[in-house]
Amino acid sequence: MGANGTNEAFVAFDRVQKSYDGETLVVKDLNLAIAKGEFLTMLGPSGSGKTTCLMMLAGFETATNGEILLDGKPINSVPPHKRGIGMVFQNYALFPHMTVAENLSFPLEVRKIGKSDREAKVKRALEMVQMGDFGGRRPAQLSGGQQQRVALARALVFEPELVLMDEPLGALDKQLREHMQFEIKHIADSLGITVVYVTHDQTEALTMSDRVAVFEDGRIQQLAPPDQLYEAPENSFVAQFIGENNSLEGVVEQINNKVAVVRLDSGDLIDTIPVNVSQVGERTRVSIRPERVEFIKDRLSPDAHTLKAEVLEFVYMGDIFRTRLRVAGKDDFIIKSRNAPDQVRLKPGQTIEIGWMPEDCRALDA
Amino acid sequence: MSDTTDAAGRIISADGRPLKSSLNRALRREKLRALALIAPLLIFVLITFIAPIADMLFRSVENDIVSNTMPRTVASLRDWDSTSGEVPGAGVFESAYFDLAVAAQKKLHSQLGTRLNYELTGMSSMFRRTGRRMDDVGEVYMDQFAALDQAWESPEVWAAMIGDADWLASEKAWAKAQNPGTPPPAFEVKEGAQAALPLTAALYKDFAAYLRLNDGDSPTQEEPWPVFYAALYTDLINRPDAATAFSGADAQRLQTSAAAVTNFEAVDYKAAFVKADDGWGQVNTWATIKAFSPKYTPGYFLNAVDMQKTPQGISAQPESQQIYILLFKRTLFLSLTIMFSCIALGYPVAWLLANLPARSANLLLILVLLPFWTSLLVRTSAWKVLLQQQGVINDTLVWIGLVNDTDRLVLINNQFGTIVAMTHILLPFMILPLYSVMKTIPPSYLRAAKSLGATNWTAFWRVYFPQSVPGIGAGSILVFILSIGYYITPELVGGTTGTFISNRIAYHISSSLNWGLAAALGTILLVVVLALYWAYDRIVGIDNVKLGG
C-alpha cells in the first residue's frame, strides 16, 4: 500500500452495522481505521460485538450496513478465501486428519505453489515457531501450546499482510499464555504484518497491542494506546474494565476547564480533572487508580487532597500489598503499595489519611 | 514404602503380597459384578439366538438321514463300485428291503425320498411307491410260516420267543395295570436269541422301541411286522440249528420251521424292487444313495454355488438350474447400489441437519425418523401404489405427456423397484450415524480452510469430507448388512429380477423344506458379510467407524 501514502488506513470499518435478527444491533455504527503494520486489539466482555467485527473482516459474516475496506478496496462482496487474510482460531481448528506439515502445506497447495517451494515455506514457518521437528505429527499428538504454535504458523505460512486472531491463547494456562503473548508480538513485529487480535483478557491487550479498541454494547468505547487507555480512561466503563479502579460518586460543585470540584455523597470535597462532566450539578463518578493513592503524609505533595480512611483488610501479594479501605462510606476502596524495605504494612482497624495528586483523579460519567 | 520388591524383583504391596496379585484380587470382584450384570442378556442371546443359528448352520452339512434310515444298505454298498456300470448284487437289495420295510413301518421312507430327491429327481416318488410294496414281500413269507404253524401269527409268541423273561413279566404287569401315561417297560432281548436269530432280533428290538416311543403300545398285543417273517426266513436259512438256543415250544416251533424253510418259496428282492419302481434297476439310483451315505456332506454347499456332487465327482449344475451364483451376485450388486444411493441421498440431509439451528434441525430429524413410525408393509405397499404401471408416477408422466399411454414405464417388480423402496426404507440408517458424526465436526474447520484460501468445494472435499468418512463407514456398514439380508421388501416389490438370496432362503425354509440348502445359503451369506467386514477393516479400519461422539 506504500504507494497510496501512509495516512490511508490499511483496514477500515466505515459506519458498519450488524444485526442477526433484524431487531437488535450487535454492532452499532463502527468506525475504525487500522494502519499497516499495526497490532490492534479488540477488547471487551463477551457479547460486546468484538468477535462479530472480526468475523465480518474475515468474511464469515456480512455487514448489515456500511463498508469494510481492505487496502482501500471494499471487500463486502469478496468471499473469505479471496481475501488473503490469515486467521488463528480460538480452538486452533487444526485439521485433525492431516499432519502438522500437511496442515501448513494446505494454504500453499490451494494457491498452487510448487512442491519444493511449499516444502521450504512450511519448514521456515515451523522453524519460526520453534516446531521444526514436529512436521510429521498429528495435531492430536501435540500439547495445547504446540498446537497454538502450529495454528500461528499456518496462519502465517502463506505470507498474508493481515492476520486475525480470535482469542488464540484462551485455552492455555497462565504461564504459557504470558510466554506466547511475547512470542506472538515478537513474530508480528519481525514480519511487519498487521494484526487484529480479539481478546477479553485486558492484560493480554495491554501487553501486546499498539492500540486497543475497547468494545461494549456494540460500540468502541475508547480506542487508544495501552498507556493512555489505562491512565486516561475516557469513560467509567473503560476505567472499570481496564485494570483495577476505585470509583467514588458525587456531584460537581465547581468547574473550570482544568479542575472540577466534586462533593462526594459522603460530604467530602475533592479536586478532579473533568473528563465527561461539563456543568455544575452534574452527577459524576470519580476514578482513581489504586497504585496512585498514598497514605504516608511525608510523601504526599502539599496540594494533595486527603480523605479519612479505615483499614479493613491487608493482603500480602508478594511484589505488592493490597489493602482494602472504607473511604467516604464505601468499603471497596483498594490501595496498592510496592513491597519495598521502607514500606508500611497497614493493620485492619487502623485509621489513616489517604491522598492523591489531583491529576490522577478523573471525573467521568456517572 | 510401596515400591519394595521381592526376591524375583516383583513389586510388593503394603500387605506383603506381590502387587500384581493384589491388583487382580481387587479387580476380580469388579469383573464378577460386570459379568453378573450381562449374564441375563448373555444367556438369553445364547439360548434364543446363538444356539438356534449354530444348529441351523450345522444342518448345512448334516446328512445322517441316509445312514440312519438305511444302515444295512449303506454298509453293504460299501463294497460296490459305483463306476462299474452295474447295479449292485442281490445282497444289497436284501439289505435295502429290510431297511425300507422298517422305514415304511415307521413312515420314514418318504422323508428319505424327499432328501434324496434334492440330488436326483424322481427319488421321492420312487421311495414312496416302494415303501407301499414292502409289506407284500414280507407277507409272502408270513403266509408260508402261518401255513406251517398258526402260532407264528400271534404277537405273544414273538414276544415270548425274542423277549427276555423278566421283561415279559413286567410287560404283562404293565398291560394289566391299564395305566395310560406310563410308558411300557424297555425291551430286552432274551439271552441267546440275539446270537441265534441276529436279524430277527435286531428288527424286533427296533419294533419294540418304536412302539414304546410312538404309540405307548405293548409288542405283546401289536401284530408283528411282515418283515419279521422275511428276517426269520433269512436267519433260519443261515443258521438251521438256531432252535438249540431256545427251549420248550419256541425250540419245537423253530425246529419244525428250520426244516421247512428250505422248501419255502423264496422272494427275489431285486425283482420285487424293480417291479415296484424301475428306478431301482438303474445304476444312478444306487450311485446317488452311495454318494450321500456319509453322515456329513458338502452337497448342500455345492448346490448353493450351483455345483452338484455326482457319483462321478463334483460338477457344475446344468445351466438351466444355475441360480444361486446369480442371486448372490445380484444381492451384492443391489445392496451396493442401495448403499451408494443412501450415501448420495443421505449425506446432504445429514449435513443440513448438523448445520441448521437446533429448532429446525429437530423438526427435520423428526421428518427423517417419521418412516419408522409407519409399518414396513405400509411403506412398501405405498411404493407399489406409486410405482405400478397404473400408479401415481406413471399417471403423472402420461398426463404431462412425457410418456405415451401405451408404453408406461415398468417401475416395479424389477430391480428398480427394489432399489427405490429399499433405499427409502434404509435411508434413516445412513442419515443418523452421518448426522451424529457431522455434529461433532466444528464449523471452525471449514472457516479455517476458507481463511487459508480454499474455495467452498476444496474446503469441503479436503477438510470436511475426510472427517465425515467415519460416519459414511458406519452408515454404509449398517445399510449394507441390513440390505444384504433383507427379505420382505424385495419379496413384495422385487418381482422376479429384483429378489435377493434371502427370498430363496425363505423359500427353502418354508416351501420346499430343503433346510440343508437354506442353511448352506445362509452360511455362505454370513461368510460373505464377514469377509466384506474384514476387507473393510483392512482397507478403511474399523476404528474409523463412528456412530457418534
Side-chain angles (χ1 to χ4, degrees), chain B residues 375-399:
Chain B
S375 141
L376 182 69
L377 278 171
V378 172
R379 273 178 284 158
T380 309
S381 309
W383 279 112
K384 281 194 128 160
V385 173
L386 280 172
L387 294 175
Q388 60 188 309
Q389 280 196 296
Q390 301 300 321
V392 179
I393 290 176
N394 265 311
D395 281 349
T396 312
L397 289 177
V398 169
W399 183 71

PDB file of all heavy atoms in Angstrom, chain B residues 375-399:
ATOM      1  N   SER B 375     -45.575 -48.764   9.548  1.00  0.00           N
ATOM      2  CA  SER B 375     -45.159 -50.156   9.365  1.00  0.00           C
ATOM      3  C   SER B 375     -44.417 -50.318   8.053  1.00  0.00           C
ATOM      4  O   SER B 375     -44.676 -49.640   7.064  1.00  0.00           O
ATOM      5  CB  SER B 375     -46.396 -51.040   9.393  1.00  0.00           C
ATOM      6  OG  SER B 375     -46.279 -52.044   8.441  1.00  0.00           O
ATOM      7  N   LEU B 376     -43.473 -51.240   8.083  1.00  0.00           N
ATOM      8  CA  LEU B 376     -42.679 -51.533   6.900  1.00  0.00           C
ATOM      9  C   LEU B 376     -43.562 -51.933   5.728  1.00  0.00           C
ATOM     10  O   LEU B 376     -43.351 -51.530   4.587  1.00  0.00           O
ATOM     11  CB  LEU B 376     -41.714 -52.672   7.247  1.00  0.00           C
ATOM     12  CG  LEU B 376     -40.756 -53.122   6.170  1.00  0.00           C
ATOM     13  CD1 LEU B 376     -39.747 -52.041   5.918  1.00  0.00           C
ATOM     14  CD2 LEU B 376     -40.069 -54.387   6.592  1.00  0.00           C
ATOM     15  N   LEU B 377     -44.606 -52.698   6.043  1.00  0.00           N
ATOM     16  CA  LEU B 377     -45.500 -53.174   4.983  1.00  0.00           C
ATOM     17  C   LEU B 377     -46.254 -52.024   4.345  1.00  0.00           C
ATOM     18  O   LEU B 377     -46.437 -51.984   3.132  1.00  0.00           O
ATOM     19  CB  LEU B 377     -46.486 -54.186   5.560  1.00  0.00           C
ATOM     20  CG  LEU B 377     -45.935 -55.601   5.698  1.00  0.00           C
ATOM     21  CD1 LEU B 377     -46.906 -56.460   6.461  1.00  0.00           C
ATOM     22  CD2 LEU B 377     -45.658 -56.183   4.327  1.00  0.00           C
ATOM     23  N   VAL B 378     -46.649 -51.072   5.215  1.00  0.00           N
ATOM     24  CA  VAL B 378     -47.390 -49.931   4.687  1.00  0.00           C
ATOM     25  C   VAL B 378     -46.515 -49.133   3.740  1.00  0.00           C
ATOM     26  O   VAL B 378     -46.923 -48.750   2.640  1.00  0.00           O
ATOM     27  CB  VAL B 378     -47.875 -49.039   5.854  1.00  0.00           C
ATOM     28  CG1 VAL B 378     -48.471 -47.741   5.322  1.00  0.00           C
ATOM     29  CG2 VAL B 378     -48.890 -49.782   6.695  1.00  0.00           C
ATOM     30  N   ARG B 379     -45.260 -48.924   4.166  1.00  0.00           N
ATOM     31  CA  ARG B 379     -44.351 -48.149   3.322  1.00  0.00           C
ATOM     32  C   ARG B 379     -44.106 -48.852   1.995  1.00  0.00           C
ATOM     33  O   ARG B 379     -44.104 -48.239   0.934  1.00  0.00           O
ATOM     34  CB  ARG B 379     -43.023 -47.942   4.060  1.00  0.00           C
ATOM     35  CG  ARG B 379     -43.047 -46.723   4.934  1.00  0.00           C
ATOM     36  CD  ARG B 379     -41.748 -46.590   5.681  1.00  0.00           C
ATOM     37  NE  ARG B 379     -41.674 -47.536   6.777  1.00  0.00           N
ATOM     38  CZ  ARG B 379     -40.538 -47.935   7.332  1.00  0.00           C
ATOM     39  NH1 ARG B 379     -39.400 -47.490   6.879  1.00  0.00           N
ATOM     40  NH2 ARG B 379     -40.544 -48.771   8.346  1.00  0.00           N
ATOM     41  N   THR B 380     -43.885 -50.160   2.082  1.00  0.00           N
ATOM     42  CA  THR B 380     -43.616 -50.897   0.853  1.00  0.00           C
ATOM     43  C   THR B 380     -44.842 -50.876  -0.072  1.00  0.00           C
ATOM     44  O   THR B 380     -44.721 -50.691  -1.279  1.00  0.00           O
ATOM     45  CB  THR B 380     -43.230 -52.338   1.204  1.00  0.00           C
ATOM     46  OG1 THR B 380     -42.198 -52.288   2.183  1.00  0.00           O
ATOM     47  CG2 THR B 380     -42.715 -53.068  -0.003  1.00  0.00           C
ATOM     48  N   SER B 381     -46.023 -51.025   0.539  1.00  0.00           N
ATOM     49  CA  SER B 381     -47.243 -51.001  -0.278  1.00  0.00           C
ATOM     50  C   SER B 381     -47.436 -49.634  -0.903  1.00  0.00           C
ATOM     51  O   SER B 381     -47.914 -49.518  -2.035  1.00  0.00           O
ATOM     52  CB  SER B 381     -48.454 -51.348   0.584  1.00  0.00           C
ATOM     53  OG  SER B 381     -48.203 -52.522   1.289  1.00  0.00           O
ATOM     54  N   ALA B 382     -47.034 -48.590  -0.165  1.00  0.00           N
ATOM     55  CA  ALA B 382     -47.144 -47.242  -0.717  1.00  0.00           C
ATOM     56  C   ALA B 382     -46.304 -47.130  -1.991  1.00  0.00           C
ATOM     57  O   ALA B 382     -46.731 -46.519  -2.979  1.00  0.00           O
ATOM     58  CB  ALA B 382     -46.678 -46.225   0.311  1.00  0.00           C
ATOM     59  N   TRP B 383     -45.128 -47.752  -1.968  1.00  0.00           N
ATOM     60  CA  TRP B 383     -44.303 -47.729  -3.181  1.00  0.00           C
ATOM     61  C   TRP B 383     -44.976 -48.468  -4.317  1.00  0.00           C
ATOM     62  O   TRP B 383     -44.843 -48.095  -5.476  1.00  0.00           O
ATOM     63  CB  TRP B 383     -42.926 -48.324  -2.899  1.00  0.00           C
ATOM     64  CG  TRP B 383     -42.029 -47.325  -2.244  1.00  0.00           C
ATOM     65  CD1 TRP B 383     -41.550 -47.354  -0.973  1.00  0.00           C
ATOM     66  CD2 TRP B 383     -41.536 -46.119  -2.826  1.00  0.00           C
ATOM     67  NE1 TRP B 383     -40.790 -46.246  -0.723  1.00  0.00           N
ATOM     68  CE2 TRP B 383     -40.761 -45.467  -1.850  1.00  0.00           C
ATOM     69  CE3 TRP B 383     -41.679 -45.517  -4.085  1.00  0.00           C
ATOM     70  CZ2 TRP B 383     -40.126 -44.255  -2.079  1.00  0.00           C
ATOM     71  CZ3 TRP B 383     -41.047 -44.311  -4.312  1.00  0.00           C
ATOM     72  CH2 TRP B 383     -40.277 -43.690  -3.320  1.00  0.00           C
ATOM     73  N   LYS B 384     -45.708 -49.525  -3.961  1.00  0.00           N
ATOM     74  CA  LYS B 384     -46.447 -50.250  -5.012  1.00  0.00           C
ATOM     75  C   LYS B 384     -47.456 -49.316  -5.668  1.00  0.00           C
ATOM     76  O   LYS B 384     -47.581 -49.268  -6.881  1.00  0.00           O
ATOM     77  CB  LYS B 384     -47.181 -51.460  -4.416  1.00  0.00           C
ATOM     78  CG  LYS B 384     -46.283 -52.638  -4.167  1.00  0.00           C
ATOM     79  CD  LYS B 384     -47.109 -53.881  -3.922  1.00  0.00           C
ATOM     80  CE  LYS B 384     -46.625 -54.973  -4.833  1.00  0.00           C
ATOM     81  NZ  LYS B 384     -46.973 -56.313  -4.438  1.00  0.00           N
ATOM     82  N   VAL B 385     -48.165 -48.565  -4.818  1.00  0.00           N
ATOM     83  CA  VAL B 385     -49.176 -47.646  -5.341  1.00  0.00           C
ATOM     84  C   VAL B 385     -48.524 -46.612  -6.245  1.00  0.00           C
ATOM     85  O   VAL B 385     -49.029 -46.260  -7.307  1.00  0.00           O
ATOM     86  CB  VAL B 385     -49.908 -46.959  -4.175  1.00  0.00           C
ATOM     87  CG1 VAL B 385     -50.842 -45.878  -4.688  1.00  0.00           C
ATOM     88  CG2 VAL B 385     -50.654 -47.985  -3.346  1.00  0.00           C
ATOM     89  N   LEU B 386     -47.361 -46.116  -5.806  1.00  0.00           N
ATOM     90  CA  LEU B 386     -46.706 -45.057  -6.564  1.00  0.00           C
ATOM     91  C   LEU B 386     -46.132 -45.568  -7.883  1.00  0.00           C
ATOM     92  O   LEU B 386     -46.237 -44.920  -8.915  1.00  0.00           O
ATOM     93  CB  LEU B 386     -45.575 -44.451  -5.724  1.00  0.00           C
ATOM     94  CG  LEU B 386     -45.989 -43.442  -4.658  1.00  0.00           C
ATOM     95  CD1 LEU B 386     -44.795 -43.096  -3.803  1.00  0.00           C
ATOM     96  CD2 LEU B 386     -46.551 -42.192  -5.319  1.00  0.00           C
ATOM     97  N   LEU B 387     -45.497 -46.744  -7.829  1.00  0.00           N
ATOM     98  CA  LEU B 387     -44.641 -47.149  -8.934  1.00  0.00           C
ATOM     99  C   LEU B 387     -45.334 -48.012  -9.976  1.00  0.00           C
ATOM    100  O   LEU B 387     -44.817 -48.166 -11.080  1.00  0.00           O
ATOM    101  CB  LEU B 387     -43.418 -47.907  -8.396  1.00  0.00           C
ATOM    102  CG  LEU B 387     -42.444 -47.098  -7.544  1.00  0.00           C
ATOM    103  CD1 LEU B 387     -41.369 -47.995  -6.986  1.00  0.00           C
ATOM    104  CD2 LEU B 387     -41.816 -45.979  -8.354  1.00  0.00           C
ATOM    105  N   GLN B 388     -46.481 -48.586  -9.653  1.00  0.00           N
ATOM    106  CA  GLN B 388     -47.051 -49.531 -10.612  1.00  0.00           C
ATOM    107  C   GLN B 388     -47.452 -48.829 -11.912  1.00  0.00           C
ATOM    108  O   GLN B 388     -47.504 -47.608 -11.981  1.00  0.00           O
ATOM    109  CB  GLN B 388     -48.239 -50.250  -9.990  1.00  0.00           C
ATOM    110  CG  GLN B 388     -49.348 -49.301  -9.573  1.00  0.00           C
ATOM    111  CD  GLN B 388     -50.410 -50.014  -8.796  1.00  0.00           C
ATOM    112  OE1 GLN B 388     -50.892 -51.025  -9.229  1.00  0.00           O
ATOM    113  NE2 GLN B 388     -50.772 -49.487  -7.639  1.00  0.00           N
ATOM    114  N   GLN B 389     -47.744 -49.647 -12.919  1.00  0.00           N
ATOM    115  CA  GLN B 389     -47.945 -49.063 -14.240  1.00  0.00           C
ATOM    116  C   GLN B 389     -49.186 -48.176 -14.310  1.00  0.00           C
ATOM    117  O   GLN B 389     -49.222 -47.236 -15.086  1.00  0.00           O
ATOM    118  CB  GLN B 389     -48.009 -50.175 -15.296  1.00  0.00           C
ATOM    119  CG  GLN B 389     -46.611 -50.649 -15.661  1.00  0.00           C
ATOM    120  CD  GLN B 389     -46.602 -51.447 -16.929  1.00  0.00           C
ATOM    121  OE1 GLN B 389     -47.191 -52.507 -16.996  1.00  0.00           O
ATOM    122  NE2 GLN B 389     -45.921 -50.943 -17.943  1.00  0.00           N
ATOM    123  N   GLN B 390     -50.163 -48.490 -13.499  1.00  0.00           N
ATOM    124  CA  GLN B 390     -51.329 -47.602 -13.411  1.00  0.00           C
ATOM    125  C   GLN B 390     -51.202 -46.708 -12.184  1.00  0.00           C
ATOM    126  O   GLN B 390     -52.189 -46.211 -11.655  1.00  0.00           O
ATOM    127  CB  GLN B 390     -52.630 -48.416 -13.334  1.00  0.00           C
ATOM    128  CG  GLN B 390     -52.866 -49.335 -14.515  1.00  0.00           C
ATOM    129  CD  GLN B 390     -52.941 -48.576 -15.833  1.00  0.00           C
ATOM    130  OE1 GLN B 390     -53.507 -47.490 -15.880  1.00  0.00           O
ATOM    131  NE2 GLN B 390     -52.365 -49.136 -16.890  1.00  0.00           N
ATOM    132  N   GLY B 391     -49.968 -46.516 -11.722  1.00  0.00           N
ATOM    133  CA  GLY B 391     -49.760 -45.809 -10.458  1.00  0.00           C
ATOM    134  C   GLY B 391     -49.572 -44.323 -10.646  1.00  0.00           C
ATOM    135  O   GLY B 391     -49.646 -43.782 -11.754  1.00  0.00           O
ATOM    136  N   VAL B 392     -49.317 -43.669  -9.516  1.00  0.00           N
ATOM    137  CA  VAL B 392     -49.286 -42.213  -9.473  1.00  0.00           C
ATOM    138  C   VAL B 392     -48.219 -41.649 -10.412  1.00  0.00           C
ATOM    139  O   VAL B 392     -48.466 -40.715 -11.171  1.00  0.00           O
ATOM    140  CB  VAL B 392     -49.041 -41.742  -8.030  1.00  0.00           C
ATOM    141  CG1 VAL B 392     -48.970 -40.227  -7.973  1.00  0.00           C
ATOM    142  CG2 VAL B 392     -50.137 -42.255  -7.118  1.00  0.00           C
ATOM    143  N   ILE B 393     -47.020 -42.230 -10.345  1.00  0.00           N
ATOM    144  CA  ILE B 393     -45.921 -41.662 -11.129  1.00  0.00           C
ATOM    145  C   ILE B 393     -46.178 -41.800 -12.622  1.00  0.00           C
ATOM    146  O   ILE B 393     -46.051 -40.840 -13.387  1.00  0.00           O
ATOM    147  CB  ILE B 393     -44.593 -42.333 -10.722  1.00  0.00           C
ATOM    148  CG1 ILE B 393     -44.227 -41.869  -9.320  1.00  0.00           C
ATOM    149  CG2 ILE B 393     -43.483 -42.010 -11.712  1.00  0.00           C
ATOM    150  CD1 ILE B 393     -43.006 -42.515  -8.754  1.00  0.00           C
ATOM    151  N   ASN B 394     -46.593 -43.011 -13.023  1.00  0.00           N
ATOM    152  CA  ASN B 394     -46.887 -43.214 -14.439  1.00  0.00           C
ATOM    153  C   ASN B 394     -48.028 -42.319 -14.902  1.00  0.00           C
ATOM    154  O   ASN B 394     -47.952 -41.724 -15.979  1.00  0.00           O
ATOM    155  CB  ASN B 394     -47.216 -44.684 -14.707  1.00  0.00           C
ATOM    156  CG  ASN B 394     -45.982 -45.446 -15.164  1.00  0.00           C
ATOM    157  OD1 ASN B 394     -45.271 -44.991 -16.057  1.00  0.00           O
ATOM    158  ND2 ASN B 394     -45.737 -46.579 -14.540  1.00  0.00           N
ATOM    159  N   ASP B 395     -49.065 -42.211 -14.076  1.00  0.00           N
ATOM    160  CA  ASP B 395     -50.202 -41.346 -14.429  1.00  0.00           C
ATOM    161  C   ASP B 395     -49.728 -39.922 -14.663  1.00  0.00           C
ATOM    162  O   ASP B 395     -50.122 -39.267 -15.632  1.00  0.00           O
ATOM    163  CB  ASP B 395     -51.251 -41.373 -13.309  1.00  0.00           C
ATOM    164  CG  ASP B 395     -52.094 -42.633 -13.381  1.00  0.00           C
ATOM    165  OD1 ASP B 395     -51.996 -43.335 -14.407  1.00  0.00           O
ATOM    166  OD2 ASP B 395     -52.830 -42.916 -12.422  1.00  0.00           O
ATOM    167  N   THR B 396     -48.868 -39.447 -13.741  1.00  0.00           N
ATOM    168  CA  THR B 396     -48.387 -38.077 -13.858  1.00  0.00           C
ATOM    169  C   THR B 396     -47.571 -37.890 -15.130  1.00  0.00           C
ATOM    170  O   THR B 396     -47.739 -36.913 -15.856  1.00  0.00           O
ATOM    171  CB  THR B 396     -47.535 -37.722 -12.625  1.00  0.00           C
ATOM    172  OG1 THR B 396     -48.240 -38.126 -11.470  1.00  0.00           O
ATOM    173  CG2 THR B 396     -47.244 -36.235 -12.570  1.00  0.00           C
ATOM    174  N   LEU B 397     -46.676 -38.857 -15.387  1.00  0.00           N
ATOM    175  CA  LEU B 397     -45.835 -38.751 -16.576  1.00  0.00           C
ATOM    176  C   LEU B 397     -46.682 -38.752 -17.841  1.00  0.00           C
ATOM    177  O   LEU B 397     -46.427 -37.999 -18.786  1.00  0.00           O
ATOM    178  CB  LEU B 397     -44.820 -39.904 -16.597  1.00  0.00           C
ATOM    179  CG  LEU B 397     -43.702 -39.812 -15.556  1.00  0.00           C
ATOM    180  CD1 LEU B 397     -42.812 -41.042 -15.616  1.00  0.00           C
ATOM    181  CD2 LEU B 397     -42.873 -38.553 -15.742  1.00  0.00           C
ATOM    182  N   VAL B 398     -47.712 -39.581 -17.854  1.00  0.00           N
ATOM    183  CA  VAL B 398     -48.602 -39.632 -19.015  1.00  0.00           C
ATOM    184  C   VAL B 398     -49.344 -38.315 -19.152  1.00  0.00           C
ATOM    185  O   VAL B 398     -49.473 -37.748 -20.238  1.00  0.00           O
ATOM    186  CB  VAL B 398     -49.584 -40.817 -18.883  1.00  0.00           C
ATOM    187  CG1 VAL B 398     -50.689 -40.719 -19.928  1.00  0.00           C
ATOM    188  CG2 VAL B 398     -48.833 -42.130 -19.009  1.00  0.00           C
ATOM    189  N   TRP B 399     -49.792 -37.804 -18.018  1.00  0.00           N
ATOM    190  CA  TRP B 399     -50.557 -36.555 -18.021  1.00  0.00           C
ATOM    191  C   TRP B 399     -49.714 -35.401 -18.531  1.00  0.00           C
ATOM    192  O   TRP B 399     -50.157 -34.589 -19.330  1.00  0.00           O
ATOM    193  CB  TRP B 399     -51.063 -36.273 -16.601  1.00  0.00           C
ATOM    194  CG  TRP B 399     -51.929 -35.059 -16.506  1.00  0.00           C
ATOM    195  CD1 TRP B 399     -53.193 -34.914 -16.989  1.00  0.00           C
ATOM    196  CD2 TRP B 399     -51.575 -33.801 -15.916  1.00  0.00           C
ATOM    197  NE1 TRP B 399     -53.660 -33.647 -16.731  1.00  0.00           N
ATOM    198  CE2 TRP B 399     -52.677 -32.951 -16.068  1.00  0.00           C
ATOM    199  CE3 TRP B 399     -50.429 -33.347 -15.266  1.00  0.00           C
ATOM    200  CZ2 TRP B 399     -52.678 -31.634 -15.593  1.00  0.00           C
ATOM    201  CZ3 TRP B 399     -50.431 -32.045 -14.794  1.00  0.00           C
ATOM    202  CH2 TRP B 399     -51.545 -31.206 -14.964  1.00  0.00           C
TER     203      TRP B 399
END
